Amino acid sequence: MIVVCDTSPVNYLVLIDGIDLLPQLFTTVVLPAGVLAELQHPRTPPRVASWARQLPPWVRVISPKGPVEGVGLGRGEAESIAIAIQVRADAVLIDERKATMVARDRGLMVTGTLGVLALAAESKLVDLEASIRRLLDTNFRASPALIDDILRRS
């Protein structure tokens, strides 16, 4: 299963020590070059920037082959969608609402940080409630109703 990752899910998974869930859940993990650049931005948390400077061998960095239609999206989001289409990814990891809608409009399966944690919990890789608590200790934001729904379904 191929997954293309936007900046936000990678950032939060690194911050909660959950980044190694990706190769356990997906056979191929793709990081767009624009996302890698965003992960190395000077305002990126030092732990995340350090991870991005020394990528694990299971990460494939890919640049889009053609122009990227941004539709008002950031570089990382636009590249994530373009590359997901380009490599025929099974899913794209995006947290931002507008980018999620654009990706779905293009026929992509979208999940985000919470979806990765729920999938990992289904595979008995994490304690979902504890992982969400750690996530909420960062600056991650999600509605209480969404979090309750994810916990209820697990």
Side-chain angles (χ1 to χ4, degrees):
M1 193 169 171
I2 300 170
V3 68
V4 177
C5 304
D6 185 30
T7 307
S8 176
V10 172
N11 177 72
Y12 290 116
L13 289 171
V14 169
L15 290 176
I16 66 167
D17 296 322
I19 195 66
D20 290 329
L21 293 171
L22 294 179
Q24 295 177 70
L25 297 170
F26 306 102
T27 54
T28 304
V29 179
V30 176
L31 202 64
V35 167
L36 182 59
E38 288 178 354
L39 291 169
Q40 295 175 342
H41 189 278
R43 288 185 308 215
T44 299
R47 192 166 165 195
V48 176
S50 176
W51 180 87
R53 281 190 302 274
Q54 297 183 345
L55 292 174
W58 47 263
V59 174
R60 288 184 50 209
V61 177
I62 297 178
S63 295
K65 288 188 177 173
V68 176
E69 290 182 32
V71 194
L73 303 178
R75 177 181 174 193
E77 295 157 346
E79 284 190 16
S80 294
I81 293 167
I83 290 171
I85 293 167
Q86 177 181 313
V87 301
R88 294 188 175 109
D90 297 288
V92 60
L93 302 183
I94 297 176
D95 285 331
E96 201 269 329
R97 189 172 299 156
K98 182 177 181 182
T100 295
M101 291 180 355
V102 170
R104 286 187 177 141
D105 286 348
R106 286 177 167 72
L108 297 170
M109 203 296 262
V110 182
T111 193
T113 305
L114 288 170
V116 168
L117 294 177
L119 187 59
E122 285 176 22
S123 298
K124 308 284 190 240
L125 298 172
V126 298
D127 174 314
L128 184 58
E129 194 171 326
S131 296
I132 289 176
R133 270 197 311 271
R134 290 191 73 197
L135 186 59
L136 294 176
D137 284 341
T138 70
N139 64 350
F140 182 86
R141 299 291 167 254
S143 73
L146 174 61
I147 291 171
D148 289 344
D149 184 52
I150 288 171
L151 289 170
R152 192 174 28 259
R153 283 189 274 154
S154 66

